[in-house]
Coordinates of all heavy atoms in Angstrom, one line a residue:
A20 N -26.3 4.8 3.3 CA -26.3 6.0 2.4 C -25.4 7.1 3.0 O -24.6 7.7 2.3 CB -27.7 6.5 2.1
Q27 N -17.2 9.4 0.6 CA -17.0 10.1 -0.7 C -16.6 11.5 -0.5 O -15.7 12.1 -1.2 CB -18.2 10.0 -1.6 CG -18.5 8.6 -2.1 CD -19.8 8.4 -2.9 OE1 -20.6 9.4 -3.0 NE2 -20.0 7.3 -3.5
Y80 N -11.0 -10.3 5.0 CA -9.8 -9.7 4.3 C -9.6 -10.2 2.9 O -9.4 -9.4 2.0 CB -8.5 -9.9 5.1 CG -7.3 -9.5 4.3 CD1 -6.9 -8.2 4.3 CD2 -6.5 -10.4 3.6 CE1 -5.8 -7.7 3.6 CE2 -5.4 -10.0 2.9 CZ -5.1 -8.7 2.9 OH -4.0 -8.3 2.1
G98 N -4.7 -4.6 22.8 CA -5.7 -3.9 23.7 C -5.2 -3.7 25.1 O -3.9 -3.6 25.3
R102 N -9.9 -3.9 30.0 CA -11.0 -4.0 29.0 C -11.1 -5.4 28.5 O -12.3 -5.9 28.4 CB -10.8 -3.0 27.9 CG -10.8 -1.6 28.3 CD -10.6 -0.7 27.1 NE -10.6 0.8 27.4 CZ -10.4 1.7 26.6 NH1 -10.2 1.4 25.3 NH2 -10.5 3.0 26.9
H156 N 1.9 1.2 14.1 CA 0.8 2.2 14.2 C 0.7 2.6 15.7 O -0.1 2.1 16.4 CB -0.5 1.7 13.7 CG -1.7 2.6 14.0 ND1 -1.6 4.0 13.8 CD2 -2.9 2.3 14.5 CE1 -2.8 4.5 14.1 NE2 -3.6 3.5 14.5
T211 N 0.3 4.7 30.1 CA 1.0 5.4 31.1 C 2.4 5.0 31.2 O 3.3 5.8 31.5 CB 0.2 5.3 32.5 OG1 0.1 4.0 32.8 CG2 -1.1 6.0 32.4
D234 N -0.4 19.3 26.2 CA 0.2 20.0 25.0 C 1.1 19.1 24.2 O 1.3 19.3 23.0 CB 1.0 21.3 25.5 CG 0.1 22.3 26.1 OD1 -1.2 22.2 26.0 OD2 0.6 23.3 26.6
R253 N 7.0 13.8 11.0 CA 7.6 13.4 9.7 C 9.1 13.6 9.8 O 9.9 12.7 9.4 CB 7.0 14.2 8.6 CG 5.5 13.9 8.3 CD 5.1 14.6 7.1 NE 3.6 14.4 7.0 CZ 2.8 15.4 7.2 NH1 3.2 16.6 7.5 NH2 1.5 15.2 7.1
A254 N 9.6 14.7 10.4 CA 11.0 14.9 10.6 C 11.6 13.9 11.5 O 12.8 13.5 11.4 CB 11.2 16.3 11.1

Side-chain angles (χ1 to χ4, degrees):
Q27 290 175 354
Y80 169 80
R102 294 180 179 178
H156 171 46
T211 55
D234 293 352
R253 297 189 188 103

